[in-house]
Each structure stands twice: as structure tokens, then as C-alpha cells.
Amino acid sequence: MKILVTGAKGQLGQTIAGLAQNYPSFDFDFKSSSELDITNAEAVKALFASKSYDYCINCAAYTKVDLAEQEIDLARKVNSIGPKNLAAQCKLHDVVLLHISTDFVFDGFLNEPYREKDIARPLGFYGDSKYKGERYIAENLPEHFIFRTSWLYSEYGHNFLKTMIKLGDEKDELSIVYDQLGTPTYTEDLVEVMLHIIELGSTAYGVYHYSNEGVASWYDFAKEIFDVSSTNVRLKPILSAAYPTPAKRPKYSVLDKSKIKGTFGIAIPHWRDSLKKAVGALKKESV
């Protein structure tokens, strides 16, 4: 099974690489953004013409939510045009595309977990660019899986977990927003589900929501990080209005996972349990 992984240097790509040895029947071809610029249609075309793939996992993404409000063109190219280029070549070469999207396609005004069929209304350009990428894929390639996920973190790359641990070592007190609710998601859990779906050879294509179980505010997430890592820092809960950002964020972006659990018969870990695994992995790295 030949699998192309784009965005190989990001935290999802690195997570797949870290788990690759557990899947001996999979032949992964990892491409970083410097090795494959998915916004370059000719480069994508040339790669697919030169190599044969069964699946493509698109981990390439522009994820700087606030900066996207300024770097509109770059965010659009990576999050919208890039997936379109991949979908075009996947269709031409009979390749199944797995693509990662975001809870930020929703406006956060719903008071219950978002389902796949709920209307997407992004508040900022990051969410808008990701949703356009979804649409390009759906309109051009029937053989696709789109995974909307939330609050990704891992022992790799830049993310909230690593930022909090760094700040916790440097500061005595931190102010963290407590009026934005969602679900922290460990990349390893998401990757395991995607690779499980490939193992199944499933043709149940479409959009799926995946995050860990449970609900948290950023304050809750930070507190648990410090508790699990035994970091002594005072936490002050603040409202979003006290910490204004260039991009608006959904106040509530919890995802309903009924569809993915029912379709593939999977059990999803609670975010607190997965966080313990991630902190343990980070501690091993630092030894």
C-alpha cells in the first residue's frame, strides 16, 4: 500500500512518521513543503506522474489563525488551492485522498456539538480557506475522506501543549481564556483512526468529525497540562474580550463524533487520558 504524506514536517506528518513502523504493510512517501509545494499544480502533477500511490494523506496546511487575516493569499493557496491540486491528481490517478480540516469552519453559535451536516460559517479567513479546500475536494473527487478536527497538539512541532509547558517554566502566572469551548485532540489518536480506515479499505467516503472525547476551555486545557506535568504556575481565567486577537474564534466548537464512531466502530479516548500520553512522550524526548 503506497501512501503519499504531504506536509511531512508538521505535527501530523511527524506523528505519522513516528507510527509508521507499526504499519509494515504501508509504504509511506513523506514529502515536506520544500519537497512538494502543493500550491504548485505542475509540481503536484509531476510527482503523481512519476510515482504510483494508493492513498494521499494531506497534512499540509497554513495554520496561523491570526496571521491568516493578513496573509490572505498565502492561506488561500495552501488551504484552498493546494487541496484542489491534490484532488485533481488523485482523481486522474485513482488515488484516495484523506484531508484534515478544522472546527473553525463553524461560527460557534450552536449550543450543541456540531454535526457534519451543520452549516459552515467561518468567522475568520483561516476557517474560510479551510472550508473552500473542503469544497474543492468534494466537488472534484468522490473518493475522499475529510476529517474535521480541533485543538491539535502533540510532542511534535508548535502547539498549545508545548507552548504552555515552555511558559510554565518561564513564568509564575498566566492568564488563559475560559469562555471558548472545544476539545483538545492528540494527533496520535487522529492518525491511528486515519490509518485504521486505510487498513479497512473503506469506501465510506465523505466528511467526518474527529476529536478526543470531552469538552474543555483553553483554561481547563492549560490547567490539566500543568497538573499532569507537575508544573507550578498560577492560572488566571479571563474572558476572550480581555485578550483580543486579529481573528475571531468560535466560542463553542465541540464536534459530534457519532458518524465516525458508528461507521468505523471505533472507541475514542477522553482528552485528559490522551494528554497524559502526550506529556509522557514529551518527557521521554527531554531525557
Side-chain angles (χ1 to χ4, degrees):
M1 195 74 71
K2 188 76 171 178
I3 303 171
L4 169 64
V5 180
T6 63
K9 296 297 185 184
Q11 59 173 333
L12 273 169
Q14 290 185 73
T15 300
I16 296 173
L19 294 171
Q21 63 181 6
N22 299 336
Y23 296 85
S25 64
F26 291 174
D27 182 8
F28 293 100
D29 185 12
F30 293 95
K31 297 291 185 186
S32 66
S33 58
S34 61
E35 294 168 322
L36 177 66
D37 178 4
I38 65 169
T39 71
N40 184 329
E42 289 305 312
V44 176
K45 181 178 178 182
L47 177 65
F48 276 77
S50 66
K51 294 189 177 182
S52 178
Y53 299 110
D54 299 294
Y55 290 86
C56 171
I57 304 177
N58 180 32
C59 299
Y62 181 103
T63 58
K64 299 172 183 175
V65 177
D66 288 322
L67 203 54
E69 298 299 312
Q70 298 175 31
E71 298 183 341
I72 292 174
D73 190 54
L74 180 57
R76 180 184 63 84
K77 284 179 179 177
V78 178
N79 292 342
S80 306
I81 303 304
K84 183 180 182 181
N85 292 338
L86 289 171
Q89 294 307 311
C90 284
K91 184 174 184 178
L92 186 62
H93 295 276
D94 297 319
V95 177
V96 178
L97 178 61
L98 287 78
H99 175 74
I100 294 86
S101 191
T102 175
D103 56 329
F104 276 41
V105 301
F106 298 114
D107 59 19
F109 296 149
L110 203 63
N111 59 0
E112 60 184 34
Y114 280 94
R115 298 165 296 176
E116 289 80 358
K117 65 182 181 180
D118 286 324
I119 297 171
R121 292 193 187 94
L123 295 176
F125 199 82
Y126 163 71
D128 183 72
S129 67
K130 291 294 288 183
Y131 184 60
K132 283 186 171 65
E134 286 188 18
R135 298 314 310 152
Y136 283 138
I137 292 170
E139 290 164 5
N140 292 284
L141 179 69
E143 298 80 14
H144 71 267
F145 294 96
I146 293 170
F147 301 94
R148 291 179 182 148
T149 190
S150 63
W151 300 20
L152 286 178
Y153 69 91
S154 68
E155 56 269 38
Y156 306 107
H158 302 286
N159 56 70
F160 189 79
L161 166 63
K162 294 179 75 175
T163 298
M164 286 300 105
I165 288 179
K166 180 177 182 293
L167 290 176
D169 290 336
E170 298 171 350
K171 298 180 180 297
D172 296 323
E173 182 176 286
L174 291 171
S175 297
I176 307 292
V177 168
Y178 76 98
D179 60 343
Q180 292 175 22
L181 299 177
T183 308
T185 304
Y186 187 27
T187 56
E188 185 173 298
D189 295 331
L190 173 58
V191 165
E192 291 277 20
V193 168
M194 292 193 294
L195 298 182
H196 174 64
I197 289 171
I198 292 176
E199 277 187 318
L200 291 174
S202 175
T203 56
Y205 305 124
V207 177
Y208 290 89
H209 286 175
Y210 183 90
S211 69
N212 281 122
E213 294 285 19
V215 180
S217 68
W218 290 107
Y219 173 87
D220 297 327
F221 190 15
K223 186 177 187 308
E224 191 71 8
I225 289 169
F226 295 132
D227 287 349
V228 172
S229 62
S230 301
T231 303
N232 187 21
V233 59
R234 293 189 302 276
L235 279 184
K236 178 184 176 183
I238 61 170
L239 293 169
S240 300
Y243 186 72
T245 56
K248 291 182 179 179
R249 286 161 166 76
K251 287 292 186 75
Y252 181 92
S253 61
V254 179
L255 300 173
D256 185 312
K257 279 89 64 178
S258 300
K259 181 180 176 184
I260 198 166
K261 287 190 285 189
T263 303
F264 302 109
I266 61 170
I268 300 177
H270 193 278
W271 71 266
R272 293 182 190 272
D273 296 325
S274 291
L275 178 62
K276 291 173 186 174
K277 285 178 61 180
V279 171
L282 266 180
K283 287 181 177 177
K284 286 181 182 177
E285 270 195 358
S286 62
V287 172

